[in-house]
Amino acid sequence: MQSPFSLIGKSWSGRALITYSLGVFILSGILGGTAYLTNSSQSISQATQKQTPQVFVAEEVMSAEKKDLSFFFNVWQRAVDRQASFDELKQLTLGGGGRFENIPVLKIGKETLYGNDLNYYFLFYHFDEYWHDQVIPENSFNDVVDAIITDSTVLQAAADKQLVTLDDQVFNNQNKNYTLRNQLVSQTKKLLSNKLVEKISGESIAIWFNNDVVPIDVEQGKTLAQQKIETLYEQLKNGTITMAEAGNIIANDSEIGSSIDPAYQNNAYYVFVDREKDDSPFIFDNLNAESWSLGEGQMSPIIIGTDNNDPNKEYLFTIIKITKRSGTITDKNSTELIDSMVKTIDKQNLSL
C-alpha cells in the first residue's frame, strides 16, 4: 500500500545525520532547448539520485521503536482495512498508537526531536513499511530522518535571520501542531530562497536569422535582422521606446516573418522572473552569462546568440535588460542553499 498522503512542502534534501554521513544526493535539473530564444522555467521538483549511505541511522534513534509490534500491527491493520481517513491515522499515530515511543531521539541545532516526529513523517514517507510488523529497512529510516532534519534546519535558519518566529506550537515540543509546522516549513523555504539565493528578473527582445526554418539565405537574413535591431537599440538607448514597445514593433513587422523568422512573434519579446542560476532564462549560455553580468536596471548591447558547443554558429540578435536582482548567496539554486545549511548545523544522537 502506498502512502495516501502528500506532505506540504516536501522536505528538501538534508544530507547528514548526526556525526555520520548519509551519502551524497545528486540533484539534476535537465533544461531542454526549444525553437524559441527562451528557456522555460522548470518545476521546483527535480530528479533525485541517491547513493548508498555509508553508515545507516544510529541505533539510538531506531531504539525508540516499541519492542512488541504485534498489538501495533493489529490496530493499524484494522485502520488500513477500513480505509481510515488521514485525520484518523494522524490521531492514531500521535495519540499513543505510533510505532515509536514519543521520547527524545535527536537534537538538531537548538531543537530536540522526538519519536512522534518519526511517527508523523512516516505517514508520508514509506507508509507501507511503517505500519507492518516487519523491520523497517535502514534506507527508508534514513529517508524519514533526512526529511525531519532538513525541516528543522530550515526553520532555525529562517528564525536566525528573523524571517519567521518559532513557538512551541511548531518547534522544540514533544507534541507539535504538525499541520502548522508543515505550512511554516513550506513558507520558510520560499522566504530563505527569496532572501538569499541570487535571482534575476528581466526582459529581452530578439530577432532570429537562423531558426529551424529560414525563408531566405542566413547571411542575408542576418544583415536584415541587424539593421532592424540596431534601429531599435538606438531608440531604447535614447529612452524613446520601452523594451515592451520594441518587442511589439518586432511582432508587428511582417517582413521579419516572411524573410527571416516564421516564429518572429513568439520570439519578439520575453519576460523572465526570479530565475536562479541553474534555471537561467535563455537556451544559449552566452546570453545567460550576459544576463548575470548586468546590474539591476542595466541594458545590454546588441548580442548575438551562439551555439553552446560551437560559438561560430550564430542564431539571433537580442537585447537584454535586467529589471531586478535579489539575493546574496551564490548557491545555484534553493536546494543547494538548504543542503549547505544542513551540512553545517550541529547534530546529535540522544542517549535513551
Side-chain angles (χ1 to χ4, degrees), residues 16-305:
L17 168 62
I18 322 311
T19 56
Y20 306 114
S21 167
L22 291 187
V24 179
F25 290 47
I26 302 172
L27 294 178
S28 59
I30 302 174
L31 306 179
T34 70
Y36 307 120
L37 168 64
T38 61
N39 178 19
S40 302
S41 180
Q42 302 300 303
S43 167
I44 248 178
S45 63
Q46 298 174 328
T48 304
Q49 184 179 26
K50 300 181 182 180
Q51 294 182 356
T52 303
Q54 296 176 15
V55 179
F56 290 111
V57 136
E59 183 179 350
E60 289 89 340
V61 179
M62 298 182 76
S63 67
E65 187 176 55
K66 293 176 178 177
K67 306 306 178 189
D68 182 5
L69 292 177
S70 57
F71 178 75
F72 163 84
F73 172 68
N74 289 333
V75 171
W76 277 82
Q77 180 72 72
R78 291 195 295 272
V80 169
D81 287 347
R82 66 183 176 84
Q83 298 183 328
S85 68
F86 168 74
D87 285 340
E88 290 173 322
L89 294 182
K90 177 181 174 182
Q91 184 176 0
L92 178 62
T93 198
L94 298 179
R99 186 175 183 126
F100 302 97
E101 302 285 358
N102 195 22
I103 55 179
V105 290
L106 298 169
K107 188 166 185 183
I108 305 303
K110 300 174 183 177
E111 182 174 35
T112 298
L113 296 163
Y114 298 86
N116 264 357
D117 293 294
L118 297 171
N119 286 319
Y120 183 77
Y121 274 69
F122 262 107
L123 290 180
F124 304 97
Y125 303 88
H126 306 285
F127 175 72
D128 189 52
E129 295 164 343
Y130 173 73
W131 70 268
H132 282 89
D133 58 353
Q134 304 301 311
V135 174
I136 296 176
E138 291 170 318
N139 62 335
S140 301
F141 211 113
N142 276 315
D143 284 345
V144 169
V145 175
D146 183 65
I148 293 170
I149 291 173
T150 301
D151 287 356
S152 178
T153 299
V154 298
L155 288 175
Q156 294 181 66
D160 288 345
K161 298 182 184 303
Q162 300 182 324
L163 298 176
V164 297
T165 300
L166 301 178
D167 57 38
D168 59 8
Q169 284 193 90
V170 296
F171 184 76
N172 201 31
N173 189 344
Q174 196 169 8
N175 298 295
K176 305 176 185 70
N177 183 324
Y178 285 97
T179 300
L180 290 180
R181 183 178 173 96
N182 289 343
Q183 292 170 350
L184 188 60
V185 167
S186 180
Q187 173 191 358
T188 294
K189 289 171 182 174
K190 293 177 183 176
L191 290 171
L192 285 170
S193 173
N194 290 339
K195 183 175 180 64
L196 298 178
V197 177
E198 280 192 305
K199 298 178 182 179
I200 54 173
S201 300
E203 53 189 343
S204 69
I205 61 169
I207 303 176
W208 285 67
F209 54 83
N210 188 12
N211 207 336
D212 294 335
V213 178
V214 182
I216 63 174
D217 177 77
V218 171
E219 288 304 316
Q220 288 180 287
K222 180 180 177 181
T223 299
L224 180 58
Q226 184 172 0
Q227 291 171 355
K228 289 181 178 292
I229 204 162
E230 284 178 348
T231 299
L232 294 173
Y233 182 65
E234 290 304 315
Q235 293 175 287
L236 287 166
K237 276 203 312 181
N238 295 333
T240 55
I241 60 172
T242 65
M243 290 285 285
E245 289 169 338
N248 191 52
I249 291 170
I250 294 171
N252 286 285
D253 189 337
S254 60
E255 185 182 14
I256 295 175
S258 61
S259 301
I260 310 174
D261 176 25
Y264 72 108
Q265 291 179 323
N266 287 322
N267 288 327
Y269 179 64
Y270 168 53
V271 174
F272 52 93
V273 179
D274 288 339
R275 292 302 190 94
E276 300 176 358
K277 285 189 175 177
D278 71 344
D279 185 25
S280 289
F282 302 106
I283 61 174
F284 298 116
D285 292 343
N286 73 308
L287 302 188
N288 289 323
E290 179 69 24
S291 299
W292 283 101
S293 73
L294 297 172
E296 187 169 303
Q298 188 175 1
M299 186 178 72
S300 74
I302 297 171
I303 316 164
I304 298 179

